[in-house]
Each structure stands twice: as structure tokens, then as C-alpha cells.
Amino acid sequence: MSPTLRFCPCLLLAVSWLLRAAAADGLVNEEVKRTVDLSTHLAKISAEILLANQGGSPVQSFTLALEPELGPHLAYVGASVKGEEEEDESLELKETAVHGRSGTFFQVQLPSALAAGGKLRVKVETVLTHVLRPFPSHITQAERQLVVFQGNHYLYSPYPTRSQSTRVRLASKTVESYTKLGNPSKNDEVIEYGPFKDVAPFSQDTMKIHYENNAPFLTISSITRTIEVSHWGNIAVEETIDLRHTGAYLKGPFSRYDYQRQSDSGISSVKSFKTILPASAQDVYYRDEIGNISTSHLQVLEDSVEVEVRPRFPLFGGWKTHYIIGYNLPSYEYLYTLGDQYALKMRLIDHVYDDQVIDHMTVKVILPEGARNVHLDTPYVIDRSPDQLHYTYLDTFGRPVLVATKNNLVEQHIQDMVVHYTFNKILMLQEPLLVVGAFYILFFTVIIYVRLDFSITKDPAAEVRMKVASITEQVLTLVNKRLGLYRQMDEVVNRYKQSRDTGALNSGRKTLEAEHRTLTNDIAALQARLKAEGSDLAEKVGEIQKLDGQVKELVNQSCQESERLVAGKVKKETYITSEKTLAGKRQELISRIDSLLDAL
Amino acid sequence: EPISNNPQQKHSVSAQEKGLGAGGSVSGNGRPNTAAGCGGGGGGLSGGLTQPAGWQSLLSFTILFLAWLAGFSSRLFAVIRFESIIHEFDPWFNYRSTHHLSTNGFYEFLNWFDERAWYPLGRIVGGTVYPGLMVTAGLIHYLLNLLNVTVHIRDVCVFLAPIFSGLTAISTFLLTRELWNQGAGLLAACFIAIVPGYISRSVAGSFDNEGIAIFALQFTYYLWVKSVKTGSVFWTIGCCLSYFYMVSAWGGYVFIINLIPLHVFVLLLMQRYSRRLYIAYSTFYIVGLVLSMQIPFVGFQPIRTSEHMAAAGVFALLQAYAFLQYLKDRLTKQEFQTLFFLGVSLAAGVVFLTVIYLTYTGETAATMATQHHSLAQHMPSLYFSPLPLINPIKPVILNLDTERLFDPVLSAFAVYFAGVMVRLMLTLTPVVCMLSAIAFSSVFEHYLGDDMKRENPPAEDSSDEDDKRNSGNLYDKAGKVRKHVSEQDRPEEGLGPNIKSIVTMLMLMLLMMFAVHCTWVTSNAYSSPSVVLASYNHDGSRNILDDFREAYYWLRQNTDEHARVMSWWDYGYQIAGMANRTTLVDNNTWNNSHIALVGKAMSSNESAAYEIMKSLDVDYVLIIFGGVIGYSGDDINKFLWMVRIAEGEHPKDIRESDYFTPQGEFRVDKAGSPTLLNCLMYKMSYYRFGEMQLDFRTPPGFDRTRNAEIGNKDIRLKHLEEAFTSEHWLVRIYRVKKQENRQALDHKLRNVAAKQKYTSKKTAKRKRGYVKNKLVLKKGKKLNKKSV
């Protein structure tokens, strides 16, 4: 591990120097209570250390150490000071190296200097992943899973320890074997070691426990968490998860019958687990490459949304699965703004299952198009990859994507990150304008296309036809108007018959006749144009004109008749009969005109 | 006729005339104006105030849009009830290849050699599919992504068929409008949008060739009618392109390439040859032929197989006819007659020889059809449901004797084909829709529109002007049945308003019931996916049996990437698509002997099967077993097919009669034949099932599908082991055990110096040769130059 190991001659010297250094610190572990929790697939080691400064000067910091064998498995380490009022104050850790010693070391900054002769109670918590090794590594469906834990009986520390006790919590009563240093006591699921007195610094003595552990050995081999921020009020979160059962491999057949009928068959397999989503999560989906996974259930609780994630098939040792879970969040809960400044405060990683282990995580934060001066604040060190661009609905120049990765994460890493960025609010208009513009162009093109003639050949016949058609149309309107005039005339006459007001009749007749004349002239003009176009319709129009003349005559006749009736020159009966014949004739003429019109 | 003179223009003009004509008559008679038909009298009285043409196009636009919408949404049952995935078995292949296309590009797709199918043979996918469907979906996906619309290819595939149903409605509208009139066109569009016969192949999630092919079919017809009408090369080229699309989309293109020649032939018979026809068909045949040969799967079929010979024959006939016409103008009658006689005898001889040749080499449509009959259809045949509708209305069609030939030709042909092959019922559906639309349209015109007609008897004739203008046309313009006023008045005098309203109401009722019926059929018959099974509890809640995907996903995640899965061919596409594993046989049943080998493995006893599986490198065997939940489409029920197909290829090893009881029954219980009870399929299906008691009334090992207690409960497997069984036992996967390792030798193998081989002089020619100055390969660093 450490490069010093390779230089054996230097070792002795270094050790002596180190011991001196430790002595210079003057720190001593007065009393250590270690708890090794092996009840899940993690090893959670917490130690309560009573630090005593026996040196001559105040101490600002102390060093935490981890055995070289366990170093690579370390997922989380945290130290806190046990305050008087039950409130723990977490301390700042910085990874350092100690010359001449292998292992992983952290320098812990104390909140206030520990004066000479002072004592301080510190709580150290470490979580190790993949340290429980299934043994045997392959089991059948009926067998139970046994695992081996290899650790240290003592607290690995650069300081001498006065008194120490270790308590190991196991997953079950069944223990195959365990190291018996100092004659430990075993009580159900708990093994108590110690107390050990006056342990030298960096003492190591292998503690080996072989016991039954059927806790779900689930590991997320990789997770990609994508957070897409929209300024229109939504934050979409999607997690793509590769899940693997890292316990003992399943050997031999998988029998569904046994699995269904015997409760302890496949006891170490994973049927389902719970994922807790934020309370405001909406539109939750749980799917994979081949569609929705229909075996899941969703429960909306007061302070969270619980998804019972059931993979399509139970996960036995060595089996893996892959799924996507996603949901929407309202942005007002996570997005803060002041002018053009925005801050997104969200969990860097969220809960997937209890005691989760994530081997590899990628977080992608997709910010709105136009976000600038992006700055990411993370609660712990995380590797940033180069930013990317993401194009989706209505994007033109792409959305900035922050990409960050980290390996080996556990539940303790569920903490908030903050993304700061600036965004010009005027850019909000870009997308609606884009849509409006697109529709504008579409309609405009249609208008242009419909209005203009794009044919490459000119067809005079068609043009003439269209011209004729338009003239005909005008003729039709005029003729109809003219026919309307006759109706008005009839009305005038009727009124006259009732009121016997010759003046009104004459004036009405005059105006109508004037109108009639203009209409007839117009039609004649149109007829001339038709003739000019060489259309045979002109003749028909001429015919209409002729017929119309007749109609007009008839109308005039009926008018005169009515005058005569009013004047008492004819009897009513004769008037009615003559009116009838006139009307009949008129009807006939009009229908002929109509038929001609329709033929136009 | 010029290009610019499109039908819309003509129609709008005639419509205006109609509207104004109505207005004129109103003023003449002083009767109130009734808006009849499709916006005909919309702008009647005031003339210039509103434009009837505008109303009409708006109305047709709205109706078409609504038809599209209705068609689209009525196909969404499965997606809404379940989810947006490919629901059927077969389309999984289409989806998979579309996915391949969209991820690897077009050329990669065309050259795709799929090593995951037909192990160890593989399949050249690019050359054995109609790529139209995949290319269409891929293109849409590409365009959308170009516009940054990040839609997954799966969603494009799922919704492709419903979207195309709208295009089908529009092309049906265009075609019917060309053949009849606008009103009938709109009705036809509405019919085709919801008709179950078409929906059956185009629901969302069924990503099948037919989904887009019906659109291409209708559109090709439309363009063909258009090109015959105009005789313009422009339309004909359009028709060819549409035909090309059809060829790329579906094997049913044969339908077009036979129908169009038939139409031409009938026209020739009826002495309706014209230059337009000549231009249209000659262009169509040549360009269409060349285009259709561009599809790799079709290749040289259009000039080789008998299905395409009709087109060629009619082409030759048309050329001959045109030539004769030409000669007729040039020669005297006497000369012409001799020439004609000579020509005819020559042609007869050629035809005779061709027929003889074809009978020897050609594959006839009938054999094709019988082949297809043997394939089971997944869909229940409710195809006929729109048919009863048309029957009562047929007399109306017959009464309205017109010269529009395409319609009868089309329908006759479609009926014939549908009779030959059930699957081709699909091509009948649009025809039925069009015919019934025409019928309804005429009925409505008759009973609704008569007010207007009586007031304005020659209203119909207004469009005759068009007719006169295009007097050279083969077809009359829409709705111009020439009738005299007196004739028209007579029968309608008898129709009181009561009869009219009753008939109208009845018709409307019929239409409404049709819509309801269509929706019902769609919802019940065509919208239950076969990938996901659903059962309903007493309280109406739904249980989803997702066993297929459970097992397929297990295969995908927990087996070696190159594992080979043996299963019956029905599940091949799904295993390839969902599990992404290599299969031995699949739904593209091109290699019968390979299928027979799998069938033989399934129907032999375990040790014999093991030999076959070993030779085929099988790692897993997947079977479908419905005995637990009572699923009837499982492998035991299909088992006799496996036996039969295996017997066809291996009659010495497999005999169907062995699997029956002496009484000739196929039984899985104790009375079943021992061969059956010990064959691999039986063993795999019922492995450990004998211990399982499903409920208290039945004995353990009671098969719910076949309602029998199984005969062989003590099943031991030697070469196989259960690898996975889904939750409801629907899918069972067995692992083929590898051969056990031999004991390692504790001594080194003896080193024997190879003897110089003696070669006699007689066989000197066969002795191994050597090369003089043989180049010696020096092992070392490779140069930058890549070796071939």
C-alpha cells in the first residue's frame, strides 16, 4: 500500500520517528468502546473514544487510522464530538498519510484545542462495503448463506490505548466459528470481546467470524442519476440502476416450486425492497428496456412516497437486474432564485434501499438552456467530468450538463448538493417564440403556396376557363340580384294593392327600374367580355337577357294589371286569372333562367 | 391537362356554382333556404358574404382531422390499458430491426447479418425483409431527433400504425373523391378510420407491415386513378413512387401489380383505350418495375415469378394495341386486316409458349395461399363485420349505374383475393369501406338533399360543365348522373317528409351503431396484448401476469451474452427482441429442416434430445407451460405440430402415431402414450408439477389447461436442470448441463515422433505438395500496414 513498505531498511527508523511523533502529540485513547455491526451486508464499525491529552501542549487535531486491509473497502468515515447536550458536532476530516505506516489515515480537526490534561469523547463511525465474504461462495437454493468477516480485535490507532472493548453484532445466532481472543462471551447475536488493557499503537490481531447472514446482499453496481431542471416548474429525476446480488452464488437449479412452497427456500434471495422518494414526487415510473415492470407498488405517505420495487424476478446470488425509476418534482421546493441567480439544492444521491451500497455513481444535472456560470457545491469530494451538452425539446444551442462521478457510496452519502448558476430570464421567452415562429412559417408557407401559381407550364385554356368562371360568377350574382328585384317589385305592388298609393308605386317602380337597368347593363357588359374571351357562354347569357326581358315585361304587365284593378278598371276575378297566367308564365321563364344559370 | 389544375380548384368552382345556384332558386321561389349536404348551401342567399368553397374545405378538413383523431384514439386501447410497448409476438422482430437501424444507420441495416437468429446459420436481415416499415419508423425517429424531439424509437414504433391510419383515411378520402364525390370520400375516410378489419392490424403496439401498407395501397390507387384521368406523367411517377413504397413495405404489393393491369385490361376490353391510358400504364409499368426491383428482398422476382406476369402481359398487349391503333391511321383497311391476323396468330403462339413455360417453372398464387393457410392466425376473424352493412345498400349501387370502372374491378379482385387468403381480407377492407361510403352518400343525397334538388332540379347538372370541359375523360366527374328534370321529379314526388326523415334517421342509427360496434370490437378483440396477460378478479380489479417478460428479462440479465436458447419458433422473435439472446428458430420460418430439428429435439426422449442439443450448441431451452393458470396457447397444445414437422423431416425417428393412445387420442394423463409421457417437451413442462396441488378439489399435478391429472409425476432430468421458472409457471427455462470434465491425467502425454508418411507412386499426384523457397513467417511486431 504505502510506498514506505517497500523500503524495509527505512522502516525501523520511521517507526521510531512515528512513535515519537505520537508521543509528541501526547494523545492517549483512555477508553474505547467499539461496536462492529455485521447484521447487514455492510460492516458498520463505530467507536466511542475517550481521548486524553497527556502531553504538554494543547492539541488541535488527532489522527484516525484504518487497517490497510480494510482501506479499499472504506465507504464512509465520520467523526463527531459528543456534546454535553446530546447534540453531536461532526468534525472535519482530511485524508493524510503517516510515514512508515500503511493504512488509511485521516486528520480530524477538533472544534477547540484540547488543552493539556484535557479529555474529549469522540465518536468515530466507519462503514465498510464488500468486506463480508460469502463462504462457501456457491450455495444451492435450499442452503443458507454463510459469510466470513475478517477484522481487527483492536482499534487501529496511532495512539496507545488504555482500555478497549469490542462488541460484534451479527445477523443471526448461527455462528460457525469465531476467534476467541481473550475468551469472548457470546450471547445470541452478540459477541463481546475485551476489555483489552494497554494496547500499543497500530496493534493488529485478526478477528475472524464465520456466521450466517441472510440479509439482502444487494449492490448497486452502477447508478446514473439524471436531474433535469426546467424553469417551467418541473424537475425530472431519473435513476438508471444496475443491481446485483453479491452474496453467495446460486449453485444448481432454481426451483420455482420450492421457492413458492417452502418459506425458507432461497432465504438469502431478494424479492423486493423499498425505495423512498421525496414526498412531492409525482408521475413515478419504474421500467426497463422491455417496458413497465408491473410488479411494483406505490404508496404515498405523508412525508414521503414509498415505492415497493420488485424486480421482475427474485434475485439470487450472482443474479443481476437493471431498471429505471423516475419521477417529477415541483421546482419550487428545490430551486431558489434571486434576480438572475439560481441555486438548485437537491440530494446528490437519494435512497434506493436501506443500507444501500453503490459501487459507481454518475450524477448528471441538466440545467436549462442558457444557464451560465455554473458552480457545483458538493458535501463531499466528488470527481467532476467535463460538462456536456444535452439537446431536447425546443433546444437550439443545448443545455449544459454537469457530470460528476464517485465510487463506493453508502446511505451516509445521502446529502444535499447545491448547483449555482445564472440565467437570464428573458431566455424564458425563447421557447414560446420558437413555437410561434415555427407555426408562423408554416402558415406563411401555406399561404404563399395557395396564393401563387407554381406551375412551370402556362395553360392559356385553363386561364381562360378561370376567367370565364369568374365572369360567370359575376353574371350569376347579378342575375340573382335582378331576380330579387322582381320580388321586390311584387312586394311594392302588393303594398300598393293594399294602400292604393299610386305615388309610392310609381316611386318604387322608378327606383327598381333604375336598378334593373344598371344591372342589365352590367350583365350586358359581362356578356361582351365573355364574348371577347370567346366563350360560348355568352350566348347563354344573351338568352338569359332575352328571357329576363320577357320576365320584366310580365312584371310590368302584372303591375299594370294591379293598377287597373286598383283603379277599378278590371274585376277582381279577371285580375286573379290574368295574374295567375302571368305568374305561371313568369314561373316558367324563371325556371328557364334558372336552368340556364345552372348550366353556366 | 395541366398540372396546376388540381381537383380542389375545380371542386371549389363547381361548389360555388352549386351554392349560388341554390341561392338563385331560392330567390325565384321564395322558399326558405335549407342547408343540405356538406355545406352546399352555406353561403346561399347573400352570395358574396361567405364563401361556400371556404366552408366546404374547412368542413372537409375538420372531418378528416376528426377521422384521423378518432382512428388514432380508438387504436390506443392497449396502450392506455397497459403501456406503450410492442404488444404482439411478431412485431418484436420489426422493432428489433428498427432499433438496429436507428442505432447503426441505414447501410448497416441493409447489410445486417443477424447472428442471433437461426443459430448456427444466421440470417441476412437486410435482404430478407420488406424494409419499408423500419425505414419509415427510423426516418421519423431521425427527423424528430434532428429537431431535438427526443422520442424513443419504441414510441415511434408503437404509434406508427395509428398515425398511418390517419394517412390511410386521407388517401381513402382522395381515392373515393376521385371515384365518386367529396361526400362519399369523407364518409369513406370515417369508415376506414374505425373499421375493425383494418384496426386489427394497426392498433398501437402492433408494429406490423400492414399498418403502413394499407396507406401505401390506397395512395397508389388514388395516384393511379389520377394518372389515368389526367394522362400526365407527373401523376404516374407519383404513382410509381407510391408503388415503390408499397413494395418496400409489404408483400401485398402483388395485389397492386395485378389489379392495375386488370383494370387496364378491362378498359381495353371495353374499348376505352386512350392515349392517357397508354401513357399512364407504360410509365407505371416500366418505372414501377425498375423501382420495385430495388428492394433487395424482391430482387428479380418481378420479371421471374408468375404473379408479376399479368402486368407484363398487359404491358405487351397495350403496346400492341397502341401499335395497331397507329397502324390503323396509316394503313388501308385491307392491309390492316392481314397485318392484324398475322399479329394475332403470332401473339397467340407466344402466349401459348409462355403458359407452358410458366406451368413448368412458375409458382402459382394458389400454392402460396395454401402455404399460408397452415399458419395460425393470432387474431380472431371478425374481419367481416363491416360487410353486412353494405349488403342492404348494394341495390342502390347497382341502380346508380356509372362508368367508374376502377371500383368494381377493385372490389371483385379484393373479394377474390380475400377468399384465397384470409390474411388478404385486409385488402378488402378499404374497398368495402369505399363502397359503403358511396352507398351511404347516395342514400343521403337522395333522401336529404332532395329538397334542394326539387327546388333546383338541374343542380346536379351544374357539374356537367366540368364534364364537358374534360369531355375526353374516361370517368365522369363526381356526382353527375345525368337525369332529366322530369325523371327526377317523379320518384321524389312520392317521398313525403316522413319517409325521408325515417330513412335518414335509420341511416344515422346504422352509422352510429356501426361506430359503437367498431369501438366495441376494437376494445374487446384487438386490444388485449399477447405479451402481457391480464385476469380480472371478482371485484373488477386486474391481475397482470407478466410471466413472459419476467422470464425473457431473466434471460437477458442472467445468462451469458452469447447463450443459445432453443424454443419453438413462435417465441423466436420475442427471445431475440426482449431477451437479446441467440435463438435457433424464429417466426421467419424460412428453414423447415432446422425447425424440424428443434421439433425433433422436443419430441424425442431426453438422451436423444441431448445429442441434438449438443450438436446445436444449445445452452438453454425455453418452453411455455400453461397448466398452472390454464393458458391454452402453450407448448403442449402446440406439441403435435412439432411432432408433425419433425416427422416430415425425420420420419424414421419420429412418428406422430406414437404420441397418440391406441384409441387415437392425445392425452397427457396416465392413459397417454408412453412416448409422449417420456418425451423432452412433456418432461420439461411437467417437471416437479406432479408435486404441485393447485387447489383442494383437484389432485396434485392437475393440469388446468387440459383438465387432466398428469400421467408421469416422477420426472427426473439427467442432462437438463431447471434454470428459471416464472411466477405462474408460464415460462420455464432449462439449462443444458455441460458435459462433466474428464479426470485430469497425472502423467504427460507420450510424445511420439510423427512417422514419415509413405506415399506410393500411384497416388503421387495426391501427395502433399511443398513450396520451394517457402517464405518463413517471422513472428514479431506487426507493421503499421494492415494485413488483409
Side-chain angles (χ1 to χ4, degrees), chain B residues 86-98:
Chain B
I86 308 293
H87 287 294
E88 299 302 321
F89 287 94
D90 291 14
W92 268 99
F93 168 74
N94 298 336
Y95 170 60
R96 189 164 153 259
S97 21
T98 312

PDB file of all heavy atoms in Angstrom, chain B residues 86-98:
ATOM      1  N   ILE B  86     -44.413  -2.815 -27.623  1.00  0.00           N
ATOM      2  CA  ILE B  86     -44.844  -3.662 -28.721  1.00  0.00           C
ATOM      3  C   ILE B  86     -45.596  -4.840 -28.087  1.00  0.00           C
ATOM      4  O   ILE B  86     -45.030  -5.599 -27.315  1.00  0.00           O
ATOM      5  CB  ILE B  86     -43.642  -4.164 -29.522  1.00  0.00           C
ATOM      6  CG1 ILE B  86     -42.736  -3.019 -29.936  1.00  0.00           C
ATOM      7  CG2 ILE B  86     -44.091  -4.970 -30.709  1.00  0.00           C
ATOM      8  CD1 ILE B  86     -43.296  -2.064 -30.906  1.00  0.00           C
ATOM      9  N   HIS B  87     -46.877  -4.968 -28.421  1.00  0.00           N
ATOM     10  CA  HIS B  87     -47.692  -5.928 -27.693  1.00  0.00           C
ATOM     11  C   HIS B  87     -47.717  -7.316 -28.307  1.00  0.00           C
ATOM     12  O   HIS B  87     -47.953  -8.288 -27.620  1.00  0.00           O
ATOM     13  CB  HIS B  87     -49.131  -5.417 -27.596  1.00  0.00           C
ATOM     14  CG  HIS B  87     -49.268  -4.291 -26.642  1.00  0.00           C
ATOM     15  ND1 HIS B  87     -49.069  -4.443 -25.300  1.00  0.00           N
ATOM     16  CD2 HIS B  87     -49.560  -2.990 -26.822  1.00  0.00           C
ATOM     17  CE1 HIS B  87     -49.253  -3.291 -24.696  1.00  0.00           C
ATOM     18  NE2 HIS B  87     -49.540  -2.387 -25.602  1.00  0.00           N
ATOM     19  N   GLU B  88     -47.502  -7.387 -29.607  1.00  0.00           N
ATOM     20  CA  GLU B  88     -47.674  -8.681 -30.266  1.00  0.00           C
ATOM     21  C   GLU B  88     -46.355  -9.447 -30.335  1.00  0.00           C
ATOM     22  O   GLU B  88     -45.300  -8.917 -30.014  1.00  0.00           O
ATOM     23  CB  GLU B  88     -48.237  -8.471 -31.669  1.00  0.00           C
ATOM     24  CG  GLU B  88     -49.591  -7.801 -31.674  1.00  0.00           C
ATOM     25  CD  GLU B  88     -50.612  -8.586 -30.878  1.00  0.00           C
ATOM     26  OE1 GLU B  88     -50.602  -9.819 -30.951  1.00  0.00           O
ATOM     27  OE2 GLU B  88     -51.403  -7.966 -30.162  1.00  0.00           O
ATOM     28  N   PHE B  89     -46.442 -10.682 -30.794  1.00  0.00           N
ATOM     29  CA  PHE B  89     -45.241 -11.501 -30.881  1.00  0.00           C
ATOM     30  C   PHE B  89     -44.387 -11.113 -32.083  1.00  0.00           C
ATOM     31  O   PHE B  89     -43.224 -10.768 -31.936  1.00  0.00           O
ATOM     32  CB  PHE B  89     -45.620 -12.981 -31.014  1.00  0.00           C
ATOM     33  CG  PHE B  89     -46.146 -13.581 -29.753  1.00  0.00           C
ATOM     34  CD1 PHE B  89     -47.496 -13.630 -29.490  1.00  0.00           C
ATOM     35  CD2 PHE B  89     -45.276 -14.103 -28.815  1.00  0.00           C
ATOM     36  CE1 PHE B  89     -47.975 -14.186 -28.325  1.00  0.00           C
ATOM     37  CE2 PHE B  89     -45.748 -14.657 -27.645  1.00  0.00           C
ATOM     38  CZ  PHE B  89     -47.098 -14.696 -27.398  1.00  0.00           C
ATOM     39  N   ASP B  90     -44.993 -11.147 -33.257  1.00  0.00           N
ATOM     40  CA  ASP B  90     -44.224 -10.951 -34.478  1.00  0.00           C
ATOM     41  C   ASP B  90     -43.532  -9.599 -34.570  1.00  0.00           C
ATOM     42  O   ASP B  90     -42.387  -9.515 -34.974  1.00  0.00           O
ATOM     43  CB  ASP B  90     -45.125 -11.155 -35.702  1.00  0.00           C
ATOM     44  CG  ASP B  90     -45.538 -12.604 -35.840  1.00  0.00           C
ATOM     45  OD1 ASP B  90     -45.350 -13.350 -34.857  1.00  0.00           O
ATOM     46  OD2 ASP B  90     -46.047 -12.973 -36.901  1.00  0.00           O
ATOM     47  N   PRO B  91     -44.236  -8.538 -34.221  1.00  0.00           N
ATOM     48  CA  PRO B  91     -43.606  -7.224 -34.439  1.00  0.00           C
ATOM     49  C   PRO B  91     -42.337  -6.997 -33.640  1.00  0.00           C
ATOM     50  O   PRO B  91     -41.656  -6.024 -33.878  1.00  0.00           O
ATOM     51  CB  PRO B  91     -44.683  -6.241 -33.999  1.00  0.00           C
ATOM     52  CG  PRO B  91     -45.938  -6.973 -34.106  1.00  0.00           C
ATOM     53  CD  PRO B  91     -45.609  -8.373 -33.754  1.00  0.00           C
ATOM     54  N   TRP B  92     -42.043  -7.896 -32.741  1.00  0.00           N
ATOM     55  CA  TRP B  92     -40.804  -7.699 -31.991  1.00  0.00           C
ATOM     56  C   TRP B  92     -39.594  -7.725 -32.899  1.00  0.00           C
ATOM     57  O   TRP B  92     -38.604  -7.061 -32.653  1.00  0.00           O
ATOM     58  CB  TRP B  92     -40.662  -8.753 -30.886  1.00  0.00           C
ATOM     59  CG  TRP B  92     -41.247  -8.244 -29.634  1.00  0.00           C
ATOM     60  CD1 TRP B  92     -42.478  -8.519 -29.137  1.00  0.00           C
ATOM     61  CD2 TRP B  92     -40.654  -7.321 -28.712  1.00  0.00           C
ATOM     62  NE1 TRP B  92     -42.686  -7.824 -27.969  1.00  0.00           N
ATOM     63  CE2 TRP B  92     -41.575  -7.087 -27.686  1.00  0.00           C
ATOM     64  CE3 TRP B  92     -39.438  -6.664 -28.656  1.00  0.00           C
ATOM     65  CZ2 TRP B  92     -41.329  -6.231 -26.629  1.00  0.00           C
ATOM     66  CZ3 TRP B  92     -39.189  -5.827 -27.598  1.00  0.00           C
ATOM     67  CH2 TRP B  92     -40.126  -5.611 -26.604  1.00  0.00           C
ATOM     68  N   PHE B  93     -39.719  -8.503 -33.952  1.00  0.00           N
ATOM     69  CA  PHE B  93     -38.602  -8.522 -34.895  1.00  0.00           C
ATOM     70  C   PHE B  93     -38.498  -7.181 -35.603  1.00  0.00           C
ATOM     71  O   PHE B  93     -37.419  -6.606 -35.726  1.00  0.00           O
ATOM     72  CB  PHE B  93     -38.789  -9.637 -35.922  1.00  0.00           C
ATOM     73  CG  PHE B  93     -37.848  -9.518 -37.060  1.00  0.00           C
ATOM     74  CD1 PHE B  93     -36.516  -9.838 -36.888  1.00  0.00           C
ATOM     75  CD2 PHE B  93     -38.262  -9.041 -38.280  1.00  0.00           C
ATOM     76  CE1 PHE B  93     -35.627  -9.688 -37.924  1.00  0.00           C
ATOM     77  CE2 PHE B  93     -37.376  -8.892 -39.316  1.00  0.00           C
ATOM     78  CZ  PHE B  93     -36.057  -9.220 -39.134  1.00  0.00           C
ATOM     79  N   ASN B  94     -39.661  -6.672 -36.039  1.00  0.00           N
ATOM     80  CA  ASN B  94     -39.657  -5.377 -36.715  1.00  0.00           C
ATOM     81  C   ASN B  94     -39.074  -4.312 -35.809  1.00  0.00           C
ATOM     82  O   ASN B  94     -38.297  -3.459 -36.225  1.00  0.00           O
ATOM     83  CB  ASN B  94     -41.077  -4.980 -37.111  1.00  0.00           C
ATOM     84  CG  ASN B  94     -41.683  -5.948 -38.084  1.00  0.00           C
ATOM     85  OD1 ASN B  94     -40.957  -6.633 -38.800  1.00  0.00           O
ATOM     86  ND2 ASN B  94     -42.996  -6.033 -38.094  1.00  0.00           N
ATOM     87  N   TYR B  95     -39.466  -4.398 -34.562  1.00  0.00           N
ATOM     88  CA  TYR B  95     -38.970  -3.413 -33.608  1.00  0.00           C
ATOM     89  C   TYR B  95     -37.459  -3.549 -33.435  1.00  0.00           C
ATOM     90  O   TYR B  95     -36.724  -2.567 -33.445  1.00  0.00           O
ATOM     91  CB  TYR B  95     -39.676  -3.586 -32.262  1.00  0.00           C
ATOM     92  CG  TYR B  95     -39.042  -2.763 -31.173  1.00  0.00           C
ATOM     93  CD1 TYR B  95     -38.987  -1.378 -31.291  1.00  0.00           C
ATOM     94  CD2 TYR B  95     -38.477  -3.353 -30.059  1.00  0.00           C
ATOM     95  CE1 TYR B  95     -38.397  -0.610 -30.312  1.00  0.00           C
ATOM     96  CE2 TYR B  95     -37.878  -2.593 -29.087  1.00  0.00           C
ATOM     97  CZ  TYR B  95     -37.839  -1.224 -29.210  1.00  0.00           C
ATOM     98  OH  TYR B  95     -37.238  -0.469 -28.251  1.00  0.00           O
ATOM     99  N   ARG B  96     -37.042  -4.801 -33.357  1.00  0.00           N
ATOM    100  CA  ARG B  96     -35.623  -5.015 -33.151  1.00  0.00           C
ATOM    101  C   ARG B  96     -34.826  -4.501 -34.337  1.00  0.00           C
ATOM    102  O   ARG B  96     -33.783  -3.862 -34.177  1.00  0.00           O
ATOM    103  CB  ARG B  96     -35.378  -6.516 -32.943  1.00  0.00           C
ATOM    104  CG  ARG B  96     -33.994  -6.836 -32.523  1.00  0.00           C
ATOM    105  CD  ARG B  96     -33.906  -8.238 -31.953  1.00  0.00           C
ATOM    106  NE  ARG B  96     -32.568  -8.756 -32.135  1.00  0.00           N
ATOM    107  CZ  ARG B  96     -32.234  -9.608 -33.083  1.00  0.00           C
ATOM    108  NH1 ARG B  96     -33.144 -10.068 -33.911  1.00  0.00           N
ATOM    109  NH2 ARG B  96     -31.000 -10.022 -33.203  1.00  0.00           N
ATOM    110  N   SER B  97     -35.318  -4.757 -35.534  1.00  0.00           N
ATOM    111  CA  SER B  97     -34.548  -4.284 -36.683  1.00  0.00           C
ATOM    112  C   SER B  97     -34.634  -2.772 -36.806  1.00  0.00           C
ATOM    113  O   SER B  97     -33.678  -2.137 -37.241  1.00  0.00           O
ATOM    114  CB  SER B  97     -34.971  -4.967 -37.978  1.00  0.00           C
ATOM    115  OG  SER B  97     -36.233  -5.500 -37.884  1.00  0.00           O
ATOM    116  N   THR B  98     -35.775  -2.191 -36.416  1.00  0.00           N
ATOM    117  CA  THR B  98     -35.851  -0.730 -36.436  1.00  0.00           C
ATOM    118  C   THR B  98     -34.856  -0.144 -35.451  1.00  0.00           C
ATOM    119  O   THR B  98     -34.199   0.862 -35.730  1.00  0.00           O
ATOM    120  CB  THR B  98     -37.267  -0.273 -36.068  1.00  0.00           C
ATOM    121  OG1 THR B  98     -38.187  -1.017 -36.829  1.00  0.00           O
ATOM    122  CG2 THR B  98     -37.448   1.189 -36.353  1.00  0.00           C
TER     123      THR B  98
END
